[in-house]
Amino acid sequence: MAKIVQLPARALFAYAVNPTARFLLRLGVTPNAVTIAGTVGVLIGSYFGAKGHLFWGTWIITACALTDVLDGTMARMRGAPGKFGALLDSSLDRIADGATFGAVVWYMIDQGNPYGGTIAALVSLGAGQVVSYVKARAQSLGLNADVGIAERLERLVILGVFALIGSAGVDWALPAGLWVLAALSVVTIFQRLIAGARSDRENLAAPQ
C-alpha cells in the first residue's frame, strides 16, 4: 500500500529544505545541534498544547518536527562520518513523539475525553512506537520492513491537520484524527511485519 505522503511531495519538500540546510552549514551549525534544538522546540510546543493552547502548540510542534528532515539533509550534505548522529536522531524522535502524544492525552483528559480521544491518543502513541521499532529491529536482523501507509511524517501531518481544525472550535476534529491515526498506525505495524516475513523468506531462498 502506498504511503500517504507520496515521493514527489517528499522530494518537493526536500528541495525547499536544501537552501536552509546549506545556510546553516555555512554558519557552522551541526546536524546534531539542529536535532537537539528541534526536540527542545517540540517539548515547548507540547507544553503549550497540554495547557490548552492547541493552535500555538500545534504550530510550534509542526515547525520543530520538520527539523527531522532538515538535520538529515544537513548530514548528507556535510558527509559527516560516524553513525552517532543517526542514533541521536532516532532516540530524540522517540522522546519528541512521546511528548507530543503525552500532551494530546493530557489535553483530551482536560477536555473531558470527547469521543474517546484519550484512548485513541494512547493507542496512537503505543502503535507509533511499535511502528518505528519493527523497522529498526528488522534492519538489525538484515530484513527489509521499510514499508507502511503511515510513517512518522504521515502521522505528524495527520495529527497537525486535525489539531488545527480542532483549534478552530471543531470539537470532534482532534478525536477523529486520533482515531484515524490509531487505525493507520496499527495497519502499518502489520504491513511491516508482513514485509519482514517476506524479506526473511527471500533471504532463506537466496543462494548462499
Side-chain angles (χ1 to χ4, degrees), residues 168-195:
V170 184
D171 62 346
W172 55 263
L174 182 54
L178 289 168
W179 281 114
V180 170
L181 188 58
L184 293 177
S185 297
V186 171
V187 169
T188 302
I189 291 173
F190 283 102
Q191 287 180 309
R192 291 191 166 180
L193 289 172
I194 292 170

Side-chain angles (χ1 to χ4, degrees), residues 2 4 21 28 50 54 57 84-85 89 95-96 108-109 115 127-128 140 146 148 155 176 203 206:
I4 295 174
L54 193 59
F84 175 73
D89 183 62
I95 293 174
M108 286 287 99
I109 293 175
Y115 306 99
S140 72
D146 189 13
R155 297 197 301 273
N203 290 346

Side-chain angles (χ1 to χ4, degrees), residues 29 33 41 44-45 49 56 63 75 77 87 107 116 120 123 200 205 207:
V29 179
I44 294 172
W56 291 111
M77 289 180 173
L87 175 62
Y107 177 82
V123 173
D200 189 36

Side-chain angles (χ1 to χ4, degrees), residues 106-131:
W106 187 286
Y107 177 82
M108 286 287 99
I109 293 175
D110 187 60
Q111 297 297 310
N113 189 30
Y115 306 99
T118 303
I119 298 173
L122 289 171
V123 173
S124 297
L125 172 59
Q129 299 293 323
V130 176
V131 166

Side-chain angles (χ1 to χ4, degrees), residues 16 19 29 60 70 72 83 85 88 90 98 101 106 125 134-135 139-140 145 148 152 160 189 205 208:
V29 179
I60 294 172
L70 180 59
K83 299 180 180 179
L88 178 67
S90 296
F101 283 96
W106 187 286
L125 172 59
V134 172
K135 177 181 176 180
Q139 289 176 337
S140 72
R152 186 170 187 262
I189 291 173
Q208 302 297 320

Side-chain angles (χ1 to χ4, degrees), residues 39-73:
T39 302
V40 171
V42 169
L43 295 176
I44 294 172
S46 298
Y47 174 81
F48 274 91
K51 289 297 184 179
H53 304 290
L54 193 59
F55 178 82
W56 291 111
T58 300
W59 276 112
I60 294 172
I61 290 172
T62 301
C64 293
L66 294 180
T67 60
D68 193 46
V69 177
L70 180 59
D71 58 10
T73 302

